[in-house]
Every structure is written in structure tokens, then in C-alpha cells.
């Protein structure tokens, strides 16, 4: 309950900053991409945390059909196991393991029983879908941003060509470009014709 409350507070703060960015006219394609990237990274971190906790719980449980778990693997030559390590090291190892299930990374920790192997396979399938979702979301957003910016970039190219052909002085041309960029950031109020029927 406390974690959900914190998450809701973070979402409220994020929405406030989003509204401030919109009201100040700073929202652009780069901010949009940055926001999407930040959200996807947070989702990825949270998902990996859940997988990590599941992996750790399975290692701690007594559900093993072989009598061993990943926590029984040796870390060093003198016989120290993951079970003997600090809880921070165990968590970071489990988190590292979770990230390797989402990416093509490698890890020395491997399943030692059937339940751990099943969890591993399930995490690999989840990782496949999450990777595909991540790539598709970023690609779709990039295409959308390029499409939205295409007309504006084309108009700026035409303006630059016009200013060059007419021999407009460089300083005046810079002022004209800056004025047009500033006016493009101002949102025009919607009219009845803008709303689809």
C-alpha cells in the first residue's frame, strides 16, 4: 500500500511537470521522446524488480526438486555461496539476473531446479515481448514525430531558400527565422472546424 501511494505521488508530480512544460511552450518532439524514454525505462526497471523478487523468493523457498537453488552456487573458491552473502549482494545479483533475461547479457547464476528453470523460461518469454514492445513504441513515436515535423521542416526549407535567393542579410534572416520559430510554438485555440464531426 505504501509503495502504491508513492507511485501515485510520483505520477502526480510527473503530470504537474508535464502541464508546466505544455503551458510554457517548451513541449517539442525531443521532450516527447525524452518523456516516452523515461516512462519506458521506469516500466522496465519496475518489471525487472518484480522478476528479481520472484527469482529471489524461489531461491529462498524450499520448493526445490533437486535440493539446491541458485543461492547455493559458490561465489568464490573458498566456498562462499550466494546464500552466505549480504542481502544487498543477493538482491543485486537477482536484479542482474533479471536484466539478463530481458537483454542478451550473460550471467554466471543459472537455475538449479525445475521451478527455477520454469521461472527462467517464463522470464525469457516476458523479455521477448517486452523487448518487442519497447522497440515498437520507440519506433512508432519516432515516425510520428518525423511526420509531425515534416511540414514544419519543409516550410523552413522554403523560407531559407527564399531568404537566400532574395539576398536578405544574414542578421535579418536570423531574426526572421527566430520569429517564425517562436510563433510556431504558440498554440492556437481550437475552432469548431478543427473538431472532427
Amino acid at each position: 500500500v505504501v509503495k502504491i501511494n508513492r507511485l501515485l505521488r510520483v505520477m502526480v508530480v510527473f503530470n504537474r511537470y508535464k502541464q508546466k512544460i505544455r503551458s510554457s511552450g517548451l513541449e517539442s518532439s525531443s521532450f516527447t521522446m525524452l518523456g516516452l524514454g523515461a516512462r519506458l525505462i521506469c516500466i522496465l526497471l519496475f518489471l525487472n524488480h518484480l522478476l528479481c523478487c520472484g527469482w529471489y523468493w524461489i531461491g529462498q523457498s524450499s520448493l526445490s526438486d533437486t535440493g539446491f537453488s541458485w543461492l547455493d552456487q559458490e561465489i568464490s573458491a573458498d566456498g562462499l555461496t550466494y546464500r552466505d552473502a549480504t542481502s544487498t549482494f543477493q538482491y543485486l545479483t537477482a536484479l542482474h539476473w533479471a536484466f539478463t533475461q530481458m537483454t542478451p547479457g550473460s550471467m554466471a547464476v543459472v537455475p538449479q531446479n525445475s521451478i527455477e528453470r520454469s521461472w527462467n523460461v517464463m522470464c525469457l518469454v516476458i523479455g521477448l515481448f517486452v523487448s518487442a514492445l519497447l522497440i515498437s513504441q520507440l519506433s512508432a513515436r519516432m515516425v510520428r514525430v518525423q511526420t509531425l515535423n515534416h511540414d514544419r521542416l519543409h516550410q523552413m526549407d522554403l523560407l531559407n531558400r527564399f531568404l537566400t535567393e532574395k539576398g536578405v542579410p544574414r542578421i535579418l534572416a536570423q531574426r526572421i527565422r527566430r520569429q517564425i520559430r517562436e510563433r510556431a510554438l504558440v498554440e492556437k485555440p481550437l475552432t469548431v472546424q478543427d473538431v472532427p464531426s
Side-chain angles (χ1 to χ4, degrees), residues 18-133:
K18 187 175 177 181
Q19 288 172 354
K20 282 184 182 182
I21 288 172
R22 277 191 181 150
S23 66
S24 67
L26 292 175
E27 187 171 24
S28 67
S29 58
S30 58
F31 279 117
T32 303
M33 289 298 293
L34 184 64
L36 175 67
R39 280 191 304 252
L40 291 175
I41 287 172
C42 288
I43 290 169
L44 191 64
L45 288 172
F46 182 69
L47 180 62
N48 277 293
H49 169 73
L50 292 178
L51 295 176
C52 156
C53 290
W55 179 248
Y56 181 76
W57 180 81
I58 290 171
Q60 286 284 23
S61 71
S62 59
L63 301 173
S64 174
D65 57 353
T66 63
F68 296 102
S69 79
W70 69 270
L71 290 168
D72 297 321
Q73 292 179 22
E74 290 187 4
I75 301 172
S76 62
D78 56 335
L80 182 69
T81 64
Y82 288 105
R83 193 176 302 280
D84 301 328
T86 64
S87 58
T88 303
F89 185 76
Q90 290 173 347
Y91 174 79
L92 291 175
T93 302
L95 186 63
H96 182 188
W97 176 88
F99 272 108
T100 62
Q101 305 313 301
M102 296 283 170
T103 62
S106 64
M107 178 73 177
V109 174
V110 293
Q112 298 294 314
N113 58 56
S114 298
I115 294 175
E116 288 179 358
R117 181 109 16 225
S118 299
W119 182 255
N120 192 355
V121 169
M122 187 183 76
C123 290
L124 288 171
V125 171
I126 290 171
L128 177 71
F129 286 113
V130 168
S131 297
L133 178 69

Side-chain angles (χ1 to χ4, degrees), residues 13 15 28 37 51 69 77 97 122 153 155-156 162 176 193:
V13 169
N15 284 334
S28 67
L51 295 176
S69 79
W97 176 88
M122 187 183 76
L153 291 174
Q155 288 175 350
M156 288 302 286
F162 175 81
I176 292 170
Q193 291 79 18

Side-chain angles (χ1 to χ4, degrees), residues 1 50 131 177 180:
V1 175
L50 292 178
S131 297
R177 285 188 205 101
I180 289 175

Side-chain angles (χ1 to χ4, degrees), residues 153-190:
L153 291 174
H154 180 67
Q155 288 175 350
M156 288 302 286
D157 284 343
L158 287 175
L159 174 66
N160 288 333
R161 192 171 120 207
F162 175 81
L163 294 173
T164 303
E165 287 177 0
K166 298 301 179 189
V168 176
R170 187 175 57 86
I171 293 178
L172 178 59
Q174 286 175 345
R175 293 170 93 186
I176 292 170
R177 285 188 205 101
R178 185 174 54 241
Q179 183 65 234
I180 289 175
R181 277 194 294 270
E182 287 173 3
R183 287 181 183 213
L185 289 175
V186 175
E187 279 191 40
K188 298 174 186 163
L190 291 175

